[in-house]
Amino acid sequence: MPSVWKRAAVYLGLVDDDEYDEYDPYDEPVAAQGGYGGVRRGAGAMATQPEPEPSGAIRTLPRDPDGGVGLQPRPAVVRPITPVQNAKVFVVAPTGFPDAKEIGDKLKASQPVIVNLQGVEPDLCRRIIDFASGLAYGLGGTMEKVAQQVFLLTPTNVSVSDEEKRRLQERGLYRS
């Protein structure tokens, strides 16, 4: 029995393990003579490989003259996404970070959101802007600054109509 140090050195690959030299050599599998029989192994082996199906059950694909397999590609169908024009903008003036959940819920529901950060303390303003920009990026939407400390978050398939922009401009939340 080897010592602990010898086993550790063998484990780390620093020395060869002489213990395995005592075993009999491994018998290589020999292919069966004729037909699809299993593989014979050394004396006393019971395991055999399953017989493959006859070649008539295998389907072959026709080959192209170029040497590739003759598969026909399906035609690609491109459907344009039509933007929703009548989206009413939801206006949020957050007073704390928990209001960010409301922003996220409205944007996930494909509703544009105006985030009015006028009069909000700078630390909260920075956190809400970081959250809103990550949310817009994650949902594939856009975030644009539309006035001083006012941001418009728009989902992917939504556009804000000119009438809605005019209504927001009257409230001082959108500049041209």
Side-chain angles (χ1 to χ4, degrees), residues 14-160:
L14 300 174
V15 295
D16 289 332
D17 190 8
D18 298 329
E19 188 174 313
Y20 289 107
D21 292 339
E22 301 169 5
Y23 294 109
D24 294 331
Y26 176 71
D27 292 332
E28 293 294 324
V30 179
Q33 298 287 334
Y36 289 104
V39 175
R40 283 189 239 147
R41 297 183 187 230
M46 299 293 255
T48 60
Q49 293 180 352
E51 293 186 15
E53 295 181 15
S55 62
I58 298 174
R59 292 186 310 133
T60 58
L61 296 174
R63 298 230 176 231
D64 286 339
D66 299 336
V69 176
L71 297 176
Q72 296 181 4
R74 294 189 307 186
V77 178
V78 178
R79 294 183 184 101
I81 298 175
T82 56
V84 178
Q85 293 291 333
N86 301 344
K88 187 165 175 91
V89 177
F90 182 74
V91 179
V92 177
T95 56
F97 193 72
D99 293 336
K101 182 181 183 313
E102 187 177 22
I103 297 168
D105 291 341
K106 294 296 181 182
L107 198 64
K108 285 193 315 187
S110 295
Q111 184 175 4
V113 179
I114 287 274
V115 181
N116 184 358
L117 297 172
Q118 295 171 343
V120 176
E121 62 186 54
D123 288 339
L124 177 62
C125 184
R126 186 177 333 108
R127 288 181 68 196
I128 297 260
I129 289 172
D130 288 346
F131 173 80
S133 64
L135 179 68
Y137 177 78
L139 294 176
T142 59
M143 178 177 176
E144 63 179 296
K145 187 173 185 176
V146 293
Q148 185 66 29
Q149 296 293 326
V150 179
F151 298 90
L152 172 64
L153 303 172
T154 310
T156 303
N157 58 345
V158 177
S159 66
V160 179

